[in-house]
Amino acid sequence: MTHARLSHIMFCLIMSGLMSCIVTGIATVKAIGFGPGTFGDWMAAWAFCWPIAFTVIVVLGPSVKRLVDRLVRPKA
């Protein structure tokens, strides 16, 4: 278990990993189709994109949270 103060970073790490994996998989199959090299190409794209996705979520996540808080009505 990690310390509670790291929960935001853990969330960003897991969310960016899952989303970048799914999106790069879909984009790779759409671009080159299924074939013997598809999995390797997908993993290469994922390895490239995951750090970018993580950085974007860490940097922009707080701004998105504030925007959502303004758009959503509090519970009554």
Side-chain angles (χ1 to χ4, degrees), residues 46-65:
W46 186 27
F48 178 79
C49 291
W50 191 353
I52 297 167
F54 175 73
T55 304
V56 168
I57 291 174
V58 168
V59 171
L60 296 180
S63 296
V64 172
K65 174 77 169 104

Side-chain angles (χ1 to χ4, degrees), residues 62-76:
S63 296
V64 172
K65 174 77 169 104
R66 284 191 296 275
L67 175 62
V68 169
D69 288 344
R70 280 194 302 246
L71 295 172
V72 174
R73 188 177 327 184
K75 289 183 178 179

Side-chain angles (χ1 to χ4, degrees), residues 25-44:
I26 293 167
T28 301
V29 170
K30 179 153 180 15
I32 65 172
F34 287 107
T38 303
F39 185 75
D41 290 339
W42 174 18
M43 292 297 104

